[in-house]
Amino acid sequence: QVHLVESGGGSVQSGGALRLSCTASQYMYGTNYMAWFRQAAGKDREGVASIDSGGVTFYADSVKGRFTISRDNARYTLYLQMNSLKPEDTAMYYCAADALNWLLLPRYRYWGQGTQVTVSP
């Protein structure tokens, strides 16, 4: 069983930046593929960015050029650097992990509890 804990959320003004972190309880085969998702109030969960154990990344069009996903395998930690934030980025952000490569599909096996990001105009 892999436990994921997110941190780094908060409130910022439009144009600001935040860095989210997600720490796994341990590195396992089940964390080869990791991703960030977000869910705004009243909307479906959507994929933001994914990364494999080798560092290959994939981004949703809505965040390309503004967000950067990275991971530190030695620290079992996943990151999401979010720059040029917009009010429409407001959501609960979740990290996810799996042994399978789901890219941005919400079918990952392991999920964190989420961290709230709020961007004001």
Side-chain angles (χ1 to χ4, degrees):
Q1 185 74 15
V2 176
H3 296 284
L4 303 173
V5 179
E6 302 96 336
S7 61
S11 297
V12 295
Q13 291 189 324
S14 182
L18 283 173
R19 188 193 195 203
L20 306 183
S21 299
C22 170
T23 301
S25 56
Q26 58 183 313
Y27 178 79
M28 298 174 57
Y29 177 64
T31 58
N32 274 0
Y33 300 95
M34 300 188 77
W36 287 99
F37 287 78
R38 65 186 181 187
Q39 187 166 17
K43 295 187 177 181
D44 294 334
R45 189 168 297 189
E46 65 170 348
V48 174
S50 68
I51 187 169
D52 68 17
S53 58
V56 178
T57 59
F58 188 79
Y59 294 93
D61 288 342
S62 60
V63 305
K64 280 181 182 176
R66 300 189 298 123
F67 291 10
T68 302
I69 188 172
S70 61
R71 64 190 292 170
D72 184 338
N73 291 331
R75 292 182 169 83
Y76 311 153
T77 302
L78 176 72
Y79 302 100
L80 184 68
Q81 178 66 44
M82 305 185 294
N83 298 328
S84 303
L85 282 162
K86 305 174 182 180
E88 51 263 44
D89 294 318
T90 295
M92 185 72 78
Y93 282 71
Y94 300 88
C95 69
D98 203 322
L100 303 179
N101 188 6
W102 296 109
L103 291 178
L104 300 184
L105 293 174
R107 299 178 67 178
Y108 286 74
R109 179 175 183 181
Y110 302 108
W111 292 86
Q113 297 290 332
T115 185
Q116 178 68 35
V117 171
T118 303
V119 185
S120 57

